[in-house]
Amino acid sequence: MQLKSLSIALMTTALASQSLPVLAQGAAGPNLAPAAEAPAPGPVATLALAQELYATGLASGDALTVLTAAKLAAATSVTVAEAAALDAAMLEATDDTTVTRKKAAPGAPAAPAPMMNDGARPVAMVTVHAGTGTAEAAGAAAPTADDMFASARALAGDDPALLALIDDAAAESSRGAIGGMQQYEVQTAGGQTDVWEIAFAGNSYAEILVEGSGSGNLDLVVTDENGNVICYEASPSDQAYCDFIPAWDGYFYVTVLNTGETGNPYRLVTN
């Protein structure tokens, strides 16, 4: 991971320390359940795989690969949502890459910690570094299962057996989907850094997917409320996935860094 990515990861410690859930107070270790048998891929991972297969199938003109992608996408359910505003006043920039917690005034009483039992705060986001590169508006929405089935039919041409297979799969998919995922769509500029606050329940499978438009590189860092790095992804691609099981109810801080010079609109999907 680049130095800038590591610095941004550290700044989430500052943000988290101002909003600790009561159940997490006094727990200084990583908010991760003890290692156990790896869980089966969740709906967010299934959706990510569907998008990858769809792109591969379109590039190769393979109707069966596109059909497989469509069946996977149809097995999930995702709702487009709007993130709340995360208060930027909670943060203090010390240089271009590092943000720390603002120091409380001497003698100022500490703010009460939110209780997860009273309902978690909604998913929220703030841009901590607007970037200096070219801005780019959000691109076309990610293809739905219906879009994928339509593409499979187009690639199948006049093949009656393949068209019948596609129609049967589309009819089967109408029986319902699993998941209940939330999707958030973001416009970015080159060099932009966003920080998300997301609550996850303890001992429940958590998934986060960041998927760009293919126009650059996006890095992902996830930390818990104690600043422990849960996972990070700094590959050359603009798709990053993180899954884990929290040990207790808590807030997690997801940093998305556009390392390129041009805009790269992305979507963040979580379960």
Side-chain angles (χ1 to χ4, degrees):
M1 173 172 288
Q2 299 176 357
L3 177 60
K4 181 170 183 178
S5 299
L6 290 173
S7 298
I8 293 297
L10 294 177
M11 72 87 178
T12 59
T13 306
L15 177 61
S17 62
Q18 291 204 353
S19 54
L20 296 180
V22 169
L23 293 179
Q25 289 182 344
N31 187 358
L32 279 175
E37 183 177 346
V44 178
T46 300
L47 181 63
L49 178 58
Q51 298 295 343
E52 290 183 4
L53 285 176
Y54 181 65
T56 299
L58 285 183
S60 62
D62 186 347
L64 285 176
T65 299
V66 173
L67 174 58
T68 301
K71 292 169 66 176
L72 288 173
T76 65
S77 174
V78 60
T79 301
V80 177
E82 181 116 5
L86 189 57
D87 188 3
M90 297 172 64
L91 305 176
E92 177 177 66
T94 57
D95 55 42
D96 288 342
T97 62
T98 305
V99 180
T100 59
R101 174 171 57 92
K102 284 186 175 180
K103 301 297 188 293
M115 293 184 65
M116 296 288 283
N117 290 339
D118 292 338
R121 293 189 296 271
V123 172
M125 188 272 282
V126 62
T127 296
V128 297
H129 182 60
T132 57
T134 304
E136 183 176 330
T144 64
D146 287 342
D147 295 332
M148 295 179 185
F149 281 123
S151 295
R153 290 187 183 95
L155 290 172
D158 297 326
D159 186 330
L162 190 50
L163 287 171
L165 185 64
I166 295 169
D167 289 341
D168 287 346
E172 181 72 17
S173 70
S174 64
R175 295 186 178 181
I178 60 172
M181 298 173 289
Q182 300 291 312
Q183 172 177 309
Y184 304 87
E185 299 172 350
V186 183
Q187 302 177 8
T188 66
Q192 178 170 317
T193 301
D194 300 327
V195 175
W196 298 75
E197 179 186 70
I198 304 175
F200 286 111
N203 297 313
S204 297
Y205 188 46
E207 294 184 282
I208 301 166
L209 168 68
V210 170
E211 186 174 51
S213 64
S215 58
N217 176 44
L218 296 174
D219 288 347
L220 171 70
V221 184
V222 179
T223 64
D224 65 12
E225 65 269 22
N226 294 319
N228 300 297
V229 176
I230 302 300
C231 54
Y232 70 89
E233 175 61 59
S235 71
S237 76
D238 65 351
Q239 179 169 308
Y241 173 78
C242 174
D243 66 331
F244 57 97
I245 299 177
W248 61 81
D249 294 356
Y251 293 98
F252 291 80
Y253 296 86
V254 180
T255 300
V256 180
L257 172 64
N258 180 356
T259 62
E261 297 181 355
T262 60
N264 187 358
Y266 68 90
R267 65 173 182 162
L268 184 145
V269 183
T270 186
N271 61 339

